[in-house]
Amino acid sequence: MAENKEEDVKLGANKFRETQPLGTAAQTDKDYKEPPPAPLFEPGELSSWSFYRAGIAEFMATFLFLYITILTVMGLKRSDSLCSSVGIQGVAWAFGGMIFALVYCTAGISGGHINPAVTFGLFLARKLSLTRAVFYMVMQCLGAICGAGVVKGFMVGPYQRLGGGANVVNPGYTKGDGLGAEIIGTFVLVYTVFSATDAKRNARDSHVPILAPLPIGFAVFLVHLATIPITGTGINPARSLGAAIIYNDKHAWNDHWIFWVGPMVGATLAAIYHQIIIRAMPFHRS
């Protein structure tokens, strides 16, 4: 009788596995297959409508992003005090909220990059071809220029007087401070993008629902809270270029290199950290 009871206990222990805690591996590595890296050049893309549709989606998303965010910045600058406007927190929410909405809308079409630094980081990780990466960056920059241009059309005088939403290193900070802030801020953003869209993580933690645009938008919000006082927060070369071209001021152009070099370096570091340290891609066995 005692032997039968002991056998029942063993059977029960094997039959009912321990509940998987949240955030731990629900599947083993052999349940997941790493997708092949994107080719450097993909000539076939140029004859595909989906390729151009994705570029148009990036253009429209960046256009809307600049339109809403630059208008929000102009509203802040026009007010007599921060208390009578949305304040820095409101500007940060405008940037983060728009990224959340636009990534959600375009992720299934183009991936929802809306940022050349994000595109560059994903290209380094071989998530898309060079052909697509260059096309995305061009469309993002064109969209940003058009978005800032529409804002200036609404308020020609105030736009120039209030700085046009252009990114510059603010008084009290050096160009080195601005460059460092842009590198770290973009690292936070691109690292979040890699983590939120990691196919292996989605397979492993399929029991943990995650809406990828939410952490990405929240990362943009937090970075803006931290770095608006330093550079106005670029972390997006298209955003900085669009505002700089439409505003067209010497001071903005003098600092403009910071808002390309910083984000690209930050994106590179994020790609290296995620792919080599976190995912250990070079050490995977074929």
Side-chain angles (χ1 to χ4, degrees), residues 22-214:
L22 286 180
T24 58
Q27 299 181 12
T28 62
D29 287 341
K30 61 184 177 184
D31 295 322
Y32 171 78
K33 291 185 178 180
E34 192 71 38
L40 190 60
F41 296 101
E42 185 62 48
E45 288 183 322
L46 300 177
S47 59
S48 169
W49 164 242
S50 63
F51 175 78
Y52 297 99
R53 180 183 63 181
I56 294 170
E58 287 293 311
F59 172 90
M60 281 301 302
T62 316
F63 168 82
L64 294 173
F65 178 62
L66 265 287
Y67 171 74
I68 295 296
T69 55
I70 298 299
L71 268 181
T72 305
V73 171
M74 291 295 96
L76 174 66
K77 294 288 185 70
R78 292 186 74 171
S79 61
D80 296 329
S81 68
L82 293 178
C83 295
S84 62
S85 68
V86 296
I88 290 178
Q89 294 88 346
V91 172
W93 272 122
F95 279 88
M98 280 303 290
I99 287 297
F100 169 70
L102 293 170
V103 171
Y104 180 84
C105 292
T106 60
I109 303 171
S110 66
H113 297 189
I114 322 172
N115 185 336
V118 171
T119 300
F120 184 65
L122 294 173
F123 164 70
L124 293 178
R126 302 293 300 277
K127 303 293 185 182
L128 72 165
S129 67
L130 178 62
T131 311
R132 185 175 291 264
V134 171
F135 183 50
Y136 277 14
M137 290 181 189
V138 171
M139 297 301 282
Q140 290 158 0
C141 291
L142 290 176
I145 294 167
C146 292
V150 170
V151 174
K152 183 175 181 178
F154 286 163
M155 45 176 67
V156 178
Y159 185 89
Q160 291 299 125
R161 186 175 71 253
L162 299 172
N167 290 119
V168 296
V169 178
N170 290 322
Y173 296 95
T174 66
K175 285 181 168 53
D177 297 333
L179 181 62
E182 290 296 308
I183 291 173
I184 296 173
T186 310
F187 178 92
V188 172
L189 169 60
V190 178
Y191 177 44
T192 303
V193 169
F194 273 111
S195 298
T197 60
D198 190 336
K200 183 175 183 179
R201 176 176 181 168
N202 292 337
R204 183 191 65 199
D205 298 337
S206 57
H207 60 294
V208 184
I210 181 171
L211 186 62
L214 182 59

